Amino acid sequence: MDRLKLKAVLGSHLHVQAVRSGELRSDPFDLDFIAYTPTNTAFKPMVREQAFDVCEMAIVTYLMAKAHGKPLVLLPATMLGRFQHSYALYNPAHGMLGPSDLEGKRVGIRSFTTTTGAWIRGILANDYGVNLDNIRWVTFEDPHVAEYVDTTERAPNGKKILQMLIDGELDAVLGETSTDPKLTTLFPDPAAEAAKWYARRGVVPVNHLVVVTEQLAKSRPDVVSGIYDLLKQSKAQAGSAATPDLVPFGIDANRKPLELIVDYAFQQALIPRRYAVEELFDETTRGLN
């Protein structure tokens, strides 16, 4: 039988290096990697046109795609997980700000529907009592899911998010980091905040997992299982033994982060209802652990 050629987009993460380099392969299929930098630029064509067979995808993008009936299937294979507290900045030259001070302020974010944005807003709302509706959101890009109605204010064409923060046109920004000495983190000690948050929640915030097209999942469930096994093998080979594991594999390992991001996405009206974790997968991927 001919080997199946699959178009794939995955970021250049250490734990997928063996697969991307071709060092690890699988008999029934070949992954033909297509370069997208940054990786998030591949999410829109994947959601809107199913442009690839296999694609890294932000979890909130996937949840919204699911809500709008896009033919994609999730694999419980985390490509990117990270604590989010260091991805919120402000400019102290325009006055001191903390996480509880954002109501009534202009806050910039690349797109309202980014996963990092959803995680940080969830933290602000649930841990700091911030009413997210009282923030004036300024965005720079459309959501990946075309059907989502974005009611945020759009930044003028050509404006750059960090420059607007430096110039005082924004009070804070989410989803960005910077080495500019003028800017500082909204959470005073992000690492300490993240450690406290993890101690309380026991959750690693997952950002990106992997999706395949529904067509592939229905026609070749064996190949979908094979892709997962290959990625799992690659992770084991990379030997990332970080504690906590920032790139959990399997439904059980991803259950708590998935439950929490579903909660946050529902609270923020990004999805119409709370999904049970099992609903996020199909018959094949539900059995992957």
Side-chain angles (χ1 to χ4, degrees):
M1 200 159 84
D2 283 347
R3 292 170 73 90
L4 203 55
K5 278 217 174 315
L6 302 175
K7 286 195 285 191
V9 178
L10 295 176
S12 49
H13 313 291
L14 189 61
H15 67 290
V16 291
Q17 210 42 57
V19 176
R20 284 175 54 94
S21 68
E23 181 192 337
L24 279 180
R25 297 176 65 190
S26 188
D27 278 344
F29 62 88
D30 280 318
L31 294 175
D32 178 15
F33 283 100
I34 298 157
Y36 270 78
T37 311
T39 313
N40 63 39
T41 53
F43 303 167
K44 193 182 279 187
M46 186 60 174
V47 166
R48 296 185 181 195
E49 303 139 42
Q50 293 75 62
F52 322 105
D53 301 292
V54 185
C55 191
E56 183 168 325
M57 183 164 284
I59 186 59
V60 169
T61 297
Y62 173 73
L63 292 173
M64 295 174 67
K66 181 175 180 59
H68 290 283
K70 304 297 174 186
L72 300 173
V73 171
L74 186 67
L75 274 63
T78 302
M79 293 292 105
L80 175 67
R82 64 187 183 199
F83 290 99
Q84 311 288 355
H85 294 78
S86 57
Y87 292 86
L89 304 174
Y90 81 104
N91 184 350
H94 301 291
M96 298 303 281
L97 272 189
S100 306
D101 305 324
L102 292 184
E103 292 186 34
K105 300 288 193 283
R106 285 167 63 80
V107 178
I109 184 165
R110 180 167 55 82
S111 161
F112 189 71
T113 61
T114 64
T115 294
T116 296
W119 275 118
I120 298 174
R121 287 193 303 263
I123 290 165
L124 291 169
N126 295 280
D127 300 334
Y128 290 88
V130 175
N131 183 339
L132 301 173
D133 295 336
N134 292 341
I135 292 174
R136 294 166 64 195
W137 299 101
V138 180
T139 57
F140 295 74
E141 284 177 23
D142 288 333
H144 297 130
V145 178
E147 291 83 350
Y148 177 78
V149 179
D150 185 356
T151 58
T152 58
E153 179 188 332
R154 189 53 54 91
N157 271 346
K159 285 281 193 181
K160 296 278 184 277
I161 189 167
L162 291 176
Q163 195 57 50
M164 286 182 76
L165 182 60
I166 290 165
D167 296 341
E169 296 174 76
L170 295 171
D171 297 301
V173 301
L174 305 187
E176 306 292 330
T177 56
S178 174
T179 52
D180 191 307
K182 294 191 194 76
L183 303 178
T184 190
T185 54
L186 185 69
F187 297 93
D189 183 344
E193 286 287 336
K196 277 197 310 211
W197 190 83
Y198 181 71
R200 194 166 64 249
R201 302 258 181 204
V203 168
V204 168
V206 296
N207 272 47
H208 297 176
L209 284 85
V210 176
V211 296
V212 296
T213 60
E214 196 176 84
Q215 187 187 358
L216 179 65
K218 280 190 160 52
S219 62
R220 293 296 302 270
D222 59 316
V223 166
V224 174
S225 300
I227 292 164
Y228 178 79
D229 291 340
L230 201 60
L231 293 171
K232 197 172 170 182
Q233 225 181 314
S234 182
K235 181 189 167 179
Q237 195 167 309
S240 63
T243 309
D245 185 356
L246 294 176
V247 287
F249 269 52
I251 290 186
D252 292 346
N254 277 290
R255 183 175 299 280
K256 284 171 87 170
L258 289 175
E259 284 173 348
L260 194 54
I261 196 61
V262 163
D263 248 7
Y264 287 176
F266 175 69
Q267 287 172 2
Q268 296 166 35
L270 299 172
I271 53 175
R273 66 178 180 86
R274 284 187 170 87
Y275 294 103
V277 168
E278 273 67 25
E279 284 183 86
L280 304 180
F281 303 93
D282 77 348
E283 298 85 87
T284 305
T285 62
R286 215 169 280 137
L288 300 174
N289 246 322

